[in-house]
């Protein structure tokens, strides 16, 4: 609906729409010389405070408008001759309402068939945070906040070049959540962006409360088995991804960015891998892969070895295991399952409890309950060790979504191991590997560069399980546009 | 965007070939030593190598002339100059015969591999488990893996190959270093000794059956990104043959001819001899058996694929899936009720030699007809 020249018509329509919205303020004004010209301002009370109106650019604008002739007002607004940085003319009422809901003030003036969006501080947010879930020894400690604008700025701070594009789009029928698609023009493989645009257009939903919702709504049918997006709370990691030719999706109200395409390899990388010595990073990455294997298969292997293949283990160990298990009423498989489920319970309890209490739950659960269970002969000490090692392995995986996948598969492999011994563990791993081979993330094989590594002249293998020295990693990964993959060259 | 062009890389072909052949070489190749008239000799190995290369060359040439793919699943619209090849004279009758032959071979191959899997698993890992309990999970997992497009299978086998073959090679190396004493190399002389031509032929042809699967693999050649994949086949087959010779030398040095005759799956049994001080694991043969079974599974994936593709063409009806699963179920059921592992080996050797003979005969007829037409 176009904005009318008559203020009363606009006023009626706006008031109809904001009826019973106590948080939205409607402020009638009289501006111009002798206060002849009627106007009104609408804004969200908290997003544009009254104080701001009186002591800010908006306030000063209004003060200036008070002393102008009516015709002069129209010219000033049209040409933005006061030089206010964030103003925009809006032609329809829908645009005006959307601008107001985005946290701006919107000014309507009688006899002027446009509304003026005046940028303001916006909704309250938590501000720039410190990294919490992706801690690193080196590198920036900044983490994303919950405002898409601020998050975009945090990335822009690291890539100060107009080639980095940030396309905004509103998603959600009622929430109209702002999302921003960030990429490096000329480096990104554009069909990946196009695919994301298509996926965002392919659904309609009431609201988007977090990037996680977009992650699950834009997944294809067979993409649900493993994470096809890499989530990060670190702006430096997001900037690294953009420089690699990947795409970052930011969502308003979400302190995490979605990076895509994502591969198994990229999910094992951390931001500070690139700030440290490549030898130690290689060692740490090998540890992470071993940890992932432990998180996946250790309980299954333990049950298989203890139940079906004790001959695999040294005699002394078998004896001590038998002694430790004497008096335990459950079979080994049930004992391990019990321990693993108890651990899940502890993890969930720790997560839901408020901060300090959550830590206490971990200590109480780990030490006291574990010790009590061993003393009561409910579980053997070696089972506690296996469960603890499995949990440590699970925590060592840098990506939480991937860790969750392995956590679920662990139970399947445990079941197979308790039915078919080590053979069952092998078949379970086979099945998992097959599903991994089937998976793709925006057209990139999920197991890349462990499959098809030759597609990018083996450059990606230099940043996989082993990290080559920075000067040897001359090419961008496969995500980048073909023909623009050189990222490092020595100056002659 | 990427990886959906219906083609696979040379590296993937190489790894598929290694996985398919390695398990059979390790587990089946010592069998000719158990034939009373057979026994190992370097001469029978040379005969096998020569026949394998001849077979490979004929199949590589012959596969180019075929308008359709008997054993692969290239996507629609990517057929390889079908009309052009028909003009060349390859008829539908030949295709039909070849598909039947491939189908029968696929059935025998899957049947044998499942029996082999169960036998090794029962022998080294789960002696008390019922045969069908061992066969069914393997059949389910491998047929599920095979029921994917070529590129997915290729990616799967590409990753699986180093995970399985590297530890196997490492363990074999450890075995060779720790087990064989200098004096044992004297027994290698037995392999060099000239034997009767009859026994050379019997052992040579028996060993040839191990490489029969190459015939179905050559059709993968057309799915590569580069057309020069012929050399990949030749080099990989050459490496596998050399690997098989080294393995035979190793077994001869560890057990001698008598030991190989007496022991089931001597490659795995050999690992039970190796003891590495200070290493946690005590029984390397269990671990080694698991790796070999992994390779058998890799071969099973390819076997199920051949079987499925042929069944789609041979059985009537439009729905492809049920035919695929029907044949897979039939092969698995046959393996479950198989009277003995020895019978399955005999059947496999018979069918694979028949398969070798028929495909080579067809290729020769084709070549003769071409010469006659000129």
């Amino acid at each position: 609906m176009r904005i009318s020249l008559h203020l009363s018509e606009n006023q009626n329509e706006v008031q109809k729409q904001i009826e019973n919205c106590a948080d939205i303020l409607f402020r009638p004004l009289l501006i111009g010389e002798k206060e002849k010209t009627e106007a009104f301002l609408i804004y969200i009370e908290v997003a544009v405070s009254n104080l701001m109106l009186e002591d800010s650019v908006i306030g000063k604008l209004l003060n200036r408008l008070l002393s102008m002739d009516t015709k002069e007002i129209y010219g000033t607004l049209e040409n933005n001759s006061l030089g206010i940085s964030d103003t925009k003319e809006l032609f329809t009422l829908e645009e005006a309402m959307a601008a107001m809901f985005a946290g701006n003030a919107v000014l309507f003036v009688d006899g002027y068939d446009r509304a003026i969006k005046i940028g303001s501080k916006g909704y309250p947010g938590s501000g720039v945070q410190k990294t919490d879930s992706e801690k690193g020894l080196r590198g920036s400690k900044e983490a994303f906040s919950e405002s898409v604008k601020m998050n975009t700025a945090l990335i822009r701070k690291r890539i100060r070049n107009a080639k980095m594009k940030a396309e905004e789009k509103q998603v959600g029928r009622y929430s109209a959540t702002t999302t921003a698609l960030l990429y490096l023009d000329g480096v990104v493989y554009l069909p990946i962006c196009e695919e994301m645009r298509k996926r965002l257009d392919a659904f309609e939903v009431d609201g988007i409360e977090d990037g996680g919702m977009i992650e699950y709504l834009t997944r294809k049918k067979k993409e649900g088995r493993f994470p096809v997006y890499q989530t990060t709370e670190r702006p430096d990691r997001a900037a690294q991804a953009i420089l690699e030719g990947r795409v970052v999706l930011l969502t308003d109200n979400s302190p995490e960015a979605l990076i895509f395409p994502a591969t198994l390899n990229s999910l094992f990388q951390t931001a500070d891998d690139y700030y440290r010595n490549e030898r130690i990073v290689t060692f740490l990455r090998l540890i992470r892969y071993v940890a992932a294997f432990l998180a996946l298969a250790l309980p299954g292997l333990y049950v298989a070895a203890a139940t079906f293949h004790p001959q695999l283990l040294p005699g002394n160990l078998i004896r001590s295991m038998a002694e430790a298990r004497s008096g335990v009423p459950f079979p080994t498989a049930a004992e391990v399952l019990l321990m693993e489920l108890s651990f899940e319970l502890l993890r969930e309890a720790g997560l839901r409890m408020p901060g300090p209490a959550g830590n206490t739950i971990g200590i109480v659960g780990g030490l006291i309950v574990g010790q009590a269970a061993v003393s009561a002969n409910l579980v053997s000490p070696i089972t506690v060790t296996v469960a603890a090692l499995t949990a440590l392995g699970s925590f060592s995986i840098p990506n939480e979504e991937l860790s969750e996948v392995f956590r679920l598969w662990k139970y399947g492999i445990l079941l197979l191991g308790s039915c078919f011994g080590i053979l069952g563990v092998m078949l379970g791993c086979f099945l998992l590997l097959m599903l991994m081979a089937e998976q793709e993330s925006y057209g990139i094989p999920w197991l890349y560069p462990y499959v098809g590594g030759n597609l990018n002249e083996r450059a990606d293998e230099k940043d996989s399980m082993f990290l080559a020295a920075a000067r040897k990693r001359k090419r961008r990964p496969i995500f980048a546009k073909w023909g623009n993959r050189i990222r490092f060259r020595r100056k002659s | 965007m990427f990886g959906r062009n219906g083609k696979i890389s040379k590296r993937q072909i190489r790894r598929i070939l290694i996985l398919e052949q390695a398990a059979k070489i390790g587990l089946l190749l010592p069998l000719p030593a158990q034939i009373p008239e057979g026994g190992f000799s370097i001469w029978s190995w040379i005969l096998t190598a020569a026949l394998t290369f001849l077979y490979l060359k004929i199949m590589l040439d012959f596969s180019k002339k075929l308008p359709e793919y008997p054993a692969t699943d290239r996507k629609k619209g990517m057929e390889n100059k079908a009309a052009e090849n028909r003009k060349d004279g390859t008829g539908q009758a030949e295709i039909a015969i070849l598909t039947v032959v491939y189908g029968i071979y696929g059935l025998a191959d899957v049947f044998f591999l499942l029996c082999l899997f169960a036998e090794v698993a029962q022998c080294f890992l789960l002696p008390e488990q019922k045969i069908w309990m061992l066969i069914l999970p393997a059949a389910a997992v491998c047929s599920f893996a095979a029921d994917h497009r070529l590129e997915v299978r290729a990616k799967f086998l590409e990753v699986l190959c180093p995970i399985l073959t590297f530890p196997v090679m490492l363990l074999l190396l450890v075995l060779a270093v720790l087990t064989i004493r200098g004096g044992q190399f004297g027994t290698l002389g037995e392999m060099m000794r000239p034997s009767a031509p009859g026994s050379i032929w019997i052992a040579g042809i028996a060993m040839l059956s191990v490489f029969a699967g190459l015939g179905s693999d050559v059709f993968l050649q057309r799915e590569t990104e580069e057309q020069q994949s012929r050399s990949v086949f030749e080099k990989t087959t050459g490496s596998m043959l050399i690997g098989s010779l080294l393995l035979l030398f190793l077994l001869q040095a560890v057990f001698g001819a008598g030991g190989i005759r007496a022991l089931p799956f001597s490659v795995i049994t050999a690992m039970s001899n190796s003891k590495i001080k200070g290493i946690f694991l005590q029984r390397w043969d269990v671990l080694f058996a698991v790796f070999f079974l992994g390779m058998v599974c890799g071969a099973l994936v390819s076997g199920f694929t051949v079987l499925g593709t042929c069944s789609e063409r041979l059985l009537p009806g439009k729905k492809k899936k049920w035919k695929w699963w029907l044949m897979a179920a039939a092969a698995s059921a046959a393996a479950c009720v198989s009277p003995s592992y020895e019978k399955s080996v005999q059947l496999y050797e018979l069918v694979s030699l028949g398969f070798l003979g028929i495909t080579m005969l067809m290729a020769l007829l084709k070549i003769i007809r071409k010469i006659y037409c000129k």
Side-chain angles (χ1 to χ4, degrees), chain B residues 31 44 78 160 213 283 316-317:
Chain B
L31 280 182
S44 50
M78 300 185 75
L160 197 62
R283 289 283 301 273

Side-chain angles (χ1 to χ4, degrees), chain B residues 30-335:
Chain B
L31 280 182
Q34 293 170 354
I35 304 169
E37 306 85 10
F40 283 139
S41 77
I42 188 81
W43 313 109
S44 50
W45 180 85
I46 290 170
L47 178 69
T48 306
L51 287 174
T52 306
F53 266 103
L54 178 70
Y55 170 58
L56 184 68
K57 184 176 165 34
I58 290 173
M59 287 311 294
L60 283 168
D61 290 339
F62 187 48
S63 71
K64 280 186 193 167
K65 310 289 177 194
L66 291 172
E68 286 184 77
Y69 300 87
T72 59
D73 58 356
R74 174 167 276 215
K75 285 194 286 188
K76 274 183 186 172
M78 300 185 75
E79 287 82 6
N80 187 36
K81 299 176 183 174
E84 195 183 300
N85 283 327
R86 276 197 196 95
K87 277 182 207 163
D88 193 43
T90 311
Q92 290 302 308
E94 282 162 293
I95 300 301
I97 293 168
L98 207 60
T99 312
V100 171
V101 172
Y102 270 101
I104 293 169
Y105 170 74
L107 206 59
D109 189 36
V110 170
F111 168 70
F112 161 70
L113 287 169
L114 284 171
C115 290
L116 178 70
F117 183 91
E119 183 73 11
V120 174
Q122 206 175 39
C123 197
F124 294 96
L125 301 173
L126 301 164
E128 287 166 14
Q129 198 72 276
K130 289 187 177 86
I131 288 284
W132 65 269
M133 280 285 281
L134 294 167
I135 286 176
L136 284 184
V141 170
C142 295
S143 53
F144 171 76
D147 186 23
H148 285 84
R149 57 198 167 84
L150 173 72
E151 291 154 285
V152 176
R153 286 199 313 273
K155 279 188 246 174
F156 167 59
L157 297 176
E158 187 185 358
V159 182
L160 197 62
C161 183
I163 293 174
L164 294 172
T165 48
F166 290 169
V168 164
M169 287 195 302
L170 188 74
L171 286 174
L172 278 173
L173 200 69
V174 168
L175 172 78
V177 170
L178 295 178
T179 313
I180 302 169
R181 302 281 173 267
Q184 287 173 287
F185 283 105
T187 57
L188 295 180
E190 288 174 29
M191 287 182 74
M192 310 288 185
R193 212 173 293 149
S195 48
S199 65
I200 290 174
W201 274 96
I202 288 170
I205 289 178
M207 286 200 280
L208 186 63
S209 63
V210 172
F211 298 97
L214 281 172
S216 58
D217 290 330
V218 290
F219 291 92
L220 289 171
Q221 187 199 11
R222 301 183 196 186
E223 319 292 339
T224 51
E225 288 182 329
E226 302 92 354
Q227 287 302 304
Q228 299 79 21
S229 59
R230 193 185 175 99
S231 65
V232 175
F233 272 85
E234 289 167 351
K235 281 179 189 167
T236 312
T237 309
S239 318
M240 299 306 289
L241 280 163
I242 291 168
S244 69
L245 182 66
L246 293 175
L247 190 72
L248 291 178
F249 274 140
L250 181 72
L251 292 179
Q252 182 79 15
V254 174
F255 295 120
I260 297 172
R261 274 201 194 94
L263 294 165
F265 307 112
S266 43
V267 180
I268 301 174
T269 316
M271 288 309 299
S272 63
N273 284 6
S274 61
K275 280 198 168 54
I276 309 167
K277 281 180 186 170
I279 296 282
F280 185 73
L281 286 176
Q282 297 297 295
R283 289 283 301 273
W284 291 99
D285 55 339
V286 172
L287 203 63
F288 203 62
V290 172
F291 286 125
F292 256 98
L293 286 177
M295 288 201 271
V296 172
C297 283
L300 262 171
V301 174
S302 300
F304 273 116
T305 309
V306 172
L307 189 62
T309 316
C310 292
S311 68
E312 280 172 14
R313 293 172 190 205
L314 289 171
L315 297 177
K318 282 183 181 174
K319 285 187 179 175
K320 287 181 176 177
K321 283 275 175 187
W322 74 265
K323 295 186 225 171
W324 204 101
W325 285 102
L326 185 75
M327 291 297 272
S332 309

Side-chain angles (χ1 to χ4, degrees), chain A residues 29-37 59-74 76 82:
Chain A
L29 306 164
L30 287 171
I31 55 173
E33 210 176 18
K34 296 175 189 172
E35 297 178 348
K36 276 182 184 171
T37 312
K60 283 171 186 162
L61 165 73
L62 292 176
N63 284 334
R64 289 289 299 274
L65 292 177
L66 280 173
S67 58
M68 286 180 189
D69 181 51
T70 307
K71 282 179 187 170
E72 207 183 341
I73 289 174
Y74 300 152
T76 305
L82 289 176

Side-chain angles (χ1 to χ4, degrees), chain A residues 67-335:
Chain A
S67 58
M68 286 180 189
D69 181 51
T70 307
K71 282 179 187 170
E72 207 183 341
I73 289 174
Y74 300 152
T76 305
L77 293 175
E78 198 168 344
N79 304 322
N80 187 24
S81 53
L82 289 176
I84 296 171
S85 56
D86 189 14
T87 62
K88 191 183 171 190
E89 281 189 314
L90 307 167
F91 297 90
T92 64
L93 215 56
E94 290 76 18
E95 283 176 355
M97 296 305 282
M100 184 208 43
F101 283 121
N104 303 291
V106 179
L107 178 71
F108 290 79
V109 180
D110 192 27
Y112 189 62
D113 61 353
R114 276 156 277 178
I116 304 294
K117 179 199 99 172
I118 307 163
S120 185
K121 64 166 189 172
Y123 288 102
S126 51
V128 178
Q129 302 288 308
K130 267 197 156 187
T131 49
D132 182 33
S133 60
E134 282 179 86
K135 285 176 182 162
L137 287 175
R138 296 188 68 176
S140 166
K141 301 286 179 277
E142 272 180 349
F144 283 127
S145 72
E146 288 174 5
S147 153
V148 71
K149 294 278 183 196
M150 195 179 283
N151 294 346
T152 309
L154 286 173
I155 297 176
R156 177 69 74 190
K157 194 170 102 176
R158 287 163 172 85
I159 306 174
R160 299 177 190 194
N161 192 305
K163 291 261 183 195
M164 193 196 87
K165 307 293 178 193
E167 289 178 16
E168 286 194 356
K169 183 179 170 60
Q170 314 290 327
V171 187
R173 196 185 296 129
Y174 296 114
S175 70
T177 310
T178 306
T179 61
L181 202 63
L182 277 68
Y183 56 88
L184 200 57
D185 195 23
V187 172
V188 74
Y189 182 63
L190 282 171
I192 292 175
C193 296
E194 191 50 44
E195 176 70 18
M196 180 43 118
R197 285 185 207 114
K198 261 191 222 167
R199 290 189 188 193
L200 284 174
D201 286 337
F203 65 87
E204 200 177 48
V205 67
D206 282 353
I208 297 286
E209 281 84 47
D210 187 74
M213 285 185 77
I214 292 196
E215 183 180 344
Y216 298 114
L217 285 167
T218 53
R219 269 187 338 203
K220 281 188 174 173
K221 196 180 167 190
K222 284 188 177 174
E223 287 180 350
R225 294 170 182 149
F226 306 99
V228 288
Y229 296 95
Q230 184 177 352
T231 51
T232 183
E233 60 163 11
R234 294 181 61 133
D236 57 341
R237 185 77 194 99
Q240 281 169 2
I242 289 172
L243 292 173
E244 284 176 347
R246 294 204 273 168
V247 185
V248 168
L249 185 81
L250 297 170
T251 311
D252 212 8
N253 311 318
S254 173
E256 281 181 338
L258 298 180
I259 301 172
F260 58 96
T263 59
L264 176 74
N265 181 39
S266 66
L267 297 176
F268 275 100
Q269 295 167 350
T270 61
D272 65 344
D273 279 359
Y274 303 98
Y275 313 144
R276 301 172 71 183
N277 185 299
E278 64 275 3
R279 292 180 192 90
I280 188 73
V281 172
T282 298
F283 173 68
L284 291 176
R285 281 189 184 175
L286 287 173
I287 295 277
R288 282 176 213 151
Y289 277 90
V290 172
F293 181 73
L294 291 181
L296 178 74
L298 186 64
L301 279 174
Y302 167 66
V303 171
T307 316
F308 295 95
H309 320 289
Q311 74 273 28
L312 266 173
L313 308 171
N316 292 343
L317 182 66
I318 298 169
R319 269 194 297 280
S320 65
M321 272 168 66
E323 278 167 19
R325 288 211 71 244
S326 62
V328 176
F330 308 110
T332 314
E335 194 190 346

